[in-house]
């Protein structure tokens, strides 16, 4: 922004000075309005797949060699079940303060991914009383390692 | 040695008028204004959760792809499809009035989702292979998985394969 506040006296021309005070007034009102109305939270979308039982049955012959199921339980513990030629189950307890141990889940998922690199899809499920917030946290953690998530029973 | 006091009062009184230099202030205001206008969310997808709903929030700053689709909302008192109440809930649970009532609720939810899907298919391009497969789900962070599962089952049966969970992220 440039200022026209300097005065020039050239051959009898009068001084012209831009009055910025009303501009400042407008800016103050605009900025106050924007500060009040702006939200510093954004909306995000987590994409997940859903399947019906009939679809699962029809795709039974296309089942991949290795599948992983992550189940969140009431006590904020996890059960990771790998099915296939080498079925394995891992259990992850809750953290010391009784919350979901997302770091442990992430490291376990990385280990599973390293052991079975062909693993693409993961099925996430939870006990009926598990809160949606906890489910979102699990989906977010799993997505960082395995992006294709199907919500299951 | 005591510190020397600094004062702005000069010994001589100023006789000339001192105009306030507001040019720099105007510059600062322009910068703030541009920043605030930029941070205003102006997306194509218009998502406004119903009042009273507390969406779950993400813990990381990951960005996900946005898609348009019908909206289903799970509140403490009802399940809404396109902001119309379809199923009544009691503290996020279906009212315990027997199996017939549960089936009736599920059927009405399925019907509402199917109607919305056909509407959406008409709106979107006919060439798009995945037209009408996306459903946006907004649920309160306290909603139990059992209730969400009912919605997800109805969505899958209505033909929505791509479910988008609407959550809050940090800007």
């Amino acid at each position: 922004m440039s200022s026209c506040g300097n005065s020039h006296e050239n051959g009898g021309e009068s001084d012209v000075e831009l009055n910025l005070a009303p501009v400042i007034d407008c800016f103050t009102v605009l900025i106050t309005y924007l500060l009040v109305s702006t939200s510093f939270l954004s909306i995000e979308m987590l994409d997940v797949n859903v399947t019906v039982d009939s679809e699962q049955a029809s795709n039974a012959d296309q089942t991949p060699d290795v599948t992983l199921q992550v189940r969140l339980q009431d006590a904020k513990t996890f059960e990771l079940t790998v099915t296939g030629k080498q079925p394995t189950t891992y259990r992850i307890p809750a953290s010391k303060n009784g919350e979901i141990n997302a770091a442990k889940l992430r490291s376990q998922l990385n280990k599973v991914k390293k052991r079975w690199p062909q693993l693409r899809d993961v099925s996430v499920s939870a006990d009926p009383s598990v809160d949606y917030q906890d489910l979102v946290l699990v989906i977010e953690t799993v997505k960082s390692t395995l992006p294709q998530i199907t919500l299951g029973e | 040695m005591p510190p020397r006091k600094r004062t702005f009062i000069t010994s001589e009184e100023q006789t000339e008028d001192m105009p306030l230099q507001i040019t720099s202030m105007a510059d600062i205001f322009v910068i703030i204004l541009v920043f605030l206008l930029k941070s205003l969310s102006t997306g194509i997808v218009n998502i406004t959760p119903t009042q009273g709903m507390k969406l779950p929030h993400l813990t990381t700053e990951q960005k996900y792809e946005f898609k348009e689709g019908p909206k289903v909302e799970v509140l403490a008192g009802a399940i809404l499809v396109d902001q119309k109440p379809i199923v009544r809930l009691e503290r996020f649970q279906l009212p315990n009035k027997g199996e017939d009532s549960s089936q009736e609720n599920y059927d009405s939810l399925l019907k509402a989702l199917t109607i919305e899907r056909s509407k959406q298919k008409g709106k979107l391009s006919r060439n798009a292979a995945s037209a009408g497969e996306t459903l946006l789900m907004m649920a309160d962070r306290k909603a139990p998985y059992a209730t969400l599962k009912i919605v997800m089952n109805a969505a899958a049966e209505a033909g929505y394969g791509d479910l988008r969970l609407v959550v809050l992220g940090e800007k």
Side-chain angles (χ1 to χ4, degrees):
Chain A
M1 179 166 282
S2 62
S3 163
C4 297
N6 299 330
S7 60
H8 302 281
E9 289 186 10
N10 298 324
E13 281 181 22
S14 61
D15 285 351
V16 178
E17 193 171 319
L18 184 66
N19 190 4
L20 282 173
V23 180
I24 294 288
D25 288 350
C26 289
F27 277 8
T28 310
V29 172
L30 261 173
I31 286 169
T32 311
Y33 168 75
L34 285 171
L35 274 174
V36 169
S37 64
T38 302
S39 162
F40 291 95
L41 287 168
S42 66
I43 295 280
E44 294 291 338
M45 286 182 188
L46 292 167
D47 59 321
V48 291
N49 298 319
V50 281
T51 50
V52 275
D53 294 341
S54 57
E55 196 179 330
Q56 279 172 344
S58 68
N59 291 341
D61 55 332
Q62 298 167 10
T63 310
D65 296 340
V66 184
T67 58
L68 172 66
Q69 192 185 5
V70 178
R71 187 168 182 86
L72 174 60
Q73 292 160 330
D74 283 335
K76 304 206 175 181
T77 57
F78 292 103
E79 201 174 75
L80 271 70
T81 313
V82 183
T83 54
K85 287 172 188 168
Q86 297 168 296
T88 319
T89 302
Y90 304 97
R91 283 190 176 80
I92 300 169
S95 63
K96 281 176 187 170
N97 54 4
E99 290 300 315
I100 286 173
N101 200 338
K104 182 86 177 152
L105 173 66
R106 195 174 292 119
S107 83
Q108 193 61 58
L109 284 167
N110 283 327
K111 282 179 194 168
V112 169
K113 179 75 180 157
K114 206 176 261 185
R115 193 169 167 191
W116 290 281
Q118 72 273 33
L119 194 65
R120 289 280 174 273
D121 299 342
V122 55
S123 167
V124 174
S125 60
D127 282 351
S129 59
V130 166
D131 283 352
Y132 184 46
Q133 174 66 70
D134 292 339
L135 183 74
V136 166
L137 177 60
V138 174
I139 291 171
E140 189 189 359
T141 310
V142 174
K143 254 187 180 297
S144 62
T145 315
L146 296 155
Q148 288 289 327
I149 291 179
T150 304
L151 282 175
E153 287 293 333
Chain B
M1 189 177 160
R4 206 171 131 195
K5 278 187 184 173
R6 299 181 87 184
T7 177
F8 292 102
I9 303 164
T10 52
S11 55
E12 287 177 23
E13 267 190 40
Q14 289 187 343
T15 50
E16 289 177 18
D17 281 346
M18 285 279 287
L20 185 64
Q21 278 294 330
I22 53 173
T23 317
S24 52
M25 191 195 265
D27 290 347
I28 293 164
F29 275 18
V30 168
I31 292 166
I32 294 172
L33 199 65
V34 170
F35 167 75
L36 286 172
L37 283 171
K38 197 182 168 292
S39 62
L40 268 181
S41 60
T42 49
I44 306 162
V45 187
N46 179 25
I47 298 165
T48 315
T50 306
Q51 207 166 13
M53 179 188 280
K54 286 180 180 171
L55 288 173
H57 52 82
L58 295 178
T59 52
T60 55
E61 287 185 18
Q62 284 181 327
K63 297 283 167 202
Y64 299 95
E65 187 198 353
F66 271 66
K67 269 197 176 180
E68 189 136 12
K71 298 168 197 81
V72 59
E73 294 174 70
V74 183
L75 296 160
I79 297 174
L80 319 181
V81 177
D82 197 26
Q83 299 191 323
K84 290 178 204 122
I86 305 295
V87 176
R88 204 170 61 81
L89 298 177
E90 287 172 2
R91 289 184 180 185
F92 298 109
Q93 307 280 353
L94 281 173
N96 197 7
K97 288 177 183 170
E99 204 159 294
D100 288 346
S101 170
S102 296
Q103 188 59 42
E104 204 175 289
N105 285 329
Y106 180 83
D107 289 343
S108 52
L109 183 61
L110 178 62
K111 192 181 166 190
L113 288 171
T114 312
I115 292 167
E116 276 305 314
R117 186 167 181 243
S118 54
K119 271 191 208 169
Q120 195 68 18
K121 266 190 150 181
K123 267 190 217 170
L124 294 171
S125 161
R126 285 172 197 277
N127 297 330
S130 61
E133 278 191 11
T134 306
L135 179 71
L136 312 183
M137 187 168 88
M138 291 189 268
D140 193 283
R141 58 181 73 155
K142 290 279 173 204
Y145 187 67
T147 309
L148 301 177
K149 194 69 203 144
I150 294 166
V151 178
M152 284 190 269
N153 282 340
E157 208 175 323
Y160 296 101
D162 181 13
L163 189 68
R164 301 274 161 156
L165 309 178
V166 179
V167 293
L168 293 177
E170 294 288 334
K171 259 190 185 170

